[in-house]
Amino acid sequence: MITLGIETSCDETSCAVLKNTDKVLSNIISSSLFRHKPFGGVVPEIASRHCLEQIDTVFAEALREAKTKAEKIDLIAVTEGPGLIGSLLVGISFAKALSYRLKVPLIGVNHLEAHLSANFIGQKEPAHYIGLLVSGGHTMISYHKRGKIPVLMGSTVDDAAGEAYDKVAKLLGLGYPGGPVMDKLAQTGDPSAFRFTKPKQENRFGFSFSGIKTAVLYEVQKESAKKKAGEALSEKFIRDMAASFQYSVTQWLIEKTLDAAQYKKVKDVVVGGGVSANSRLRSHLVEEGRKRGILARFPDFKLTLDNAAMIARRGVELFRKGKRSSLSLTGIPNLKMGAK
Ligand code: KG4
Ligand code: ZN
């Protein structure tokens, strides 16, 4: 079975061709990140315009690289939400037109669920597992049982983990996006240089990252006050802060995720989203999970960021469960995990 995946939920335009559930024949991604950098974050109008400009070329390139033709496509899976409405509608309109023209089924896919499904390309989905979704817009723990609708156990009450990385990077003058550069700097800093208090939460499986961001701001202000006007923060301060911030954020994510797995008595944890590329989260969740008999899985690095291969993989799962979307499919900007 050949599935075409289409992803246009934010600043990426992506088309992928997936054979069955295991062979990614192509996964083309055109990012508009460079256009947003001067603004320090994604500008919705620029993102949707980029999707519109790129979608035809990205689709053609995906077919070319997969050495296939549009007529060979059996199923079209497209991101339905959550995301920016302008961007979502570009992919959805394209998918609907193609589905009508080729007379093949169409499936709207939840982007959050798809991030976790990136782990199941070439792997069987475990019978039940805890999902940890960590991206620029979302941080949540969910419970998944095969054939059932996912259940949200907890999410962030304010900033997402990736958003906190991006905001702290901005405070340290590191540019956007902050995650990758902070992760790199953290590896040569002292993680015990600064201590951050773990936020108190009503929900045992919930998160909050705005407090740590403010704590970093105070430390930066204190450090800047010691310097002459206009003098930059020292490299040591930046490295130590990156390491301490990374230690706290990843440790909170790890502890709550493993706690959720033990609470639900499951042996598998599946991680997805941009922050799943983080080196400390990857190594320590695997290590600490192993000590408790829990297997933590992460997607391939190239599947951690937004991409259409994960949309195609989730589309196949839903197709097998009998899901189909009609041509009235539309974008749902605030679509929740397990909502459909
Ligand atoms: O999933 P994603 O591509 O987009 C959203 O759907 O939000 O995630 C992007 C986020 C950004 O906030 C970025 O800073 C973060 O993922 N990120 C990282 C790393 N690589 C990307 N955060 C921490 N460590 C990383 N290595
Ligand atoms: Zn995403």
Side-chain angles (χ1 to χ4, degrees):
M1 182 162 117
I2 297 288
T3 303
L4 172 73
I6 302 176
E7 153 65 31
T8 61
S9 68
C10 190
D11 55 331
E12 268 95 28
T13 307
S14 178
C15 289
V17 178
L18 179 70
K19 187 175 177 192
N20 302 323
T21 55
D22 57 339
K23 279 216 154 6
V24 180
L25 300 181
S26 63
N27 187 24
I28 308 298
I29 304 171
S30 164
S31 174
S32 59
L33 195 61
F34 66 98
R35 291 185 171 177
H36 306 284
K37 276 192 181 191
F39 304 97
V42 173
V43 182
E45 289 77 7
I46 295 179
S48 59
R49 204 174 314 136
H50 181 89
C51 293
L52 197 54
E53 285 166 10
Q54 292 294 308
I55 188 84
D56 287 311
T57 318
V58 170
F59 171 60
E61 184 63 18
L63 291 182
R64 201 190 60 77
E65 197 177 301
K67 297 189 178 57
T68 192
K69 295 193 192 100
E71 288 68 28
K72 299 269 183 220
I73 297 168
D74 300 303
L75 172 68
I76 300 172
V78 62
T79 306
E80 183 175 9
L84 302 170
I85 190 64
S87 298
L88 286 169
L89 288 177
V90 173
I92 292 172
S93 309
F94 191 87
K96 288 202 285 194
L98 205 58
S99 155
Y100 181 74
R101 156 79 176 77
L102 299 172
K103 297 186 178 58
V104 294
L106 172 74
I107 292 196
V109 168
N110 184 321
H111 179 92
L112 307 175
E113 294 166 15
H115 264 303
L116 299 179
S117 293
N119 286 276
F120 310 139
I121 294 175
Q123 303 271 344
K124 225 171 157 233
E125 185 181 353
H128 54 168
Y129 62 90
I130 291 295
L132 171 67
L133 182 79
V134 268
S135 71
H138 300 90
T139 302
M140 60 184 72
I141 291 180
S142 47
Y143 173 66
H144 302 248
K145 196 167 183 180
R146 202 184 294 148
K148 296 270 190 296
I149 293 171
V151 179
L152 184 65
M153 294 175 72
S155 56
T156 177
V157 293
D158 40 55
D159 292 345
E163 190 179 358
Y165 264 97
D166 295 337
K167 287 180 175 171
V168 165
K170 204 170 176 181
L171 289 175
L172 298 174
L174 299 173
Y176 174 84
V181 57
M182 291 263 293
D183 189 6
K184 198 152 178 243
L185 288 167
Q187 286 163 31
T188 50
D190 172 9
S192 62
F194 301 93
R195 295 252 170 240
F196 299 109
T197 325
K198 189 173 171 180
K200 287 209 169 57
Q201 299 267 206
E202 253 179 61
N203 178 355
R204 174 170 163 187
F205 307 115
F207 295 101
S208 166
F209 295 106
S210 70
I212 188 167
K213 173 198 65 192
T214 312
V216 174
L217 172 68
Y218 290 153
E219 292 293 346
V220 169
Q221 286 173 340
K222 225 164 45 186
E223 185 68 11
S224 303
K226 293 184 209 155
K227 301 198 170 285
K228 293 192 206 96
E231 198 185 335
L233 295 166
S234 73
E235 197 161 304
K236 177 170 170 26
F237 176 87
I238 292 175
R239 287 181 194 281
D240 288 351
M241 183 55 82
S244 305
F245 172 84
Q246 170 134 307
Y247 173 84
S248 292
V249 169
T250 54
Q251 210 48 40
W252 298 340
L253 292 169
I254 291 166
E255 281 166 18
K256 295 219 173 191
T257 305
L258 294 179
D259 181 29
Q262 290 185 312
Y263 178 78
K264 284 285 187 187
K265 300 189 173 53
V266 303
K267 296 278 174 213
D268 287 276
V269 161
V270 173
V271 190
V275 185
S276 70
N278 187 268
S279 62
R280 188 177 190 279
L281 182 64
R282 287 177 97 97
S283 58
H284 284 69
L285 185 51
V286 168
E287 180 71 31
E288 293 182 31
R290 193 183 296 134
K291 286 184 199 152
R292 301 193 212 181
I294 294 165
L295 176 69
R297 301 156 187 245
F298 285 82
D300 263 14
F301 269 108
K302 53 185 186 302
L303 297 176
T304 55
L305 297 179
D306 291 350
N307 68 88
M310 68 183 197
I311 304 297
R313 179 65 182 88
R314 180 65 182 150
V316 178
E317 272 162 47
L318 294 169
F319 180 76
R320 288 178 174 172
K321 284 180 198 155
K323 181 178 169 175
R324 307 286 183 274
S325 298
S326 73
L327 291 179
S328 63
L329 182 75
T330 188
I332 308 176
N334 60 352
L335 186 65
K336 303 276 183 287
M337 171 79 78
K340 295 191 104 188

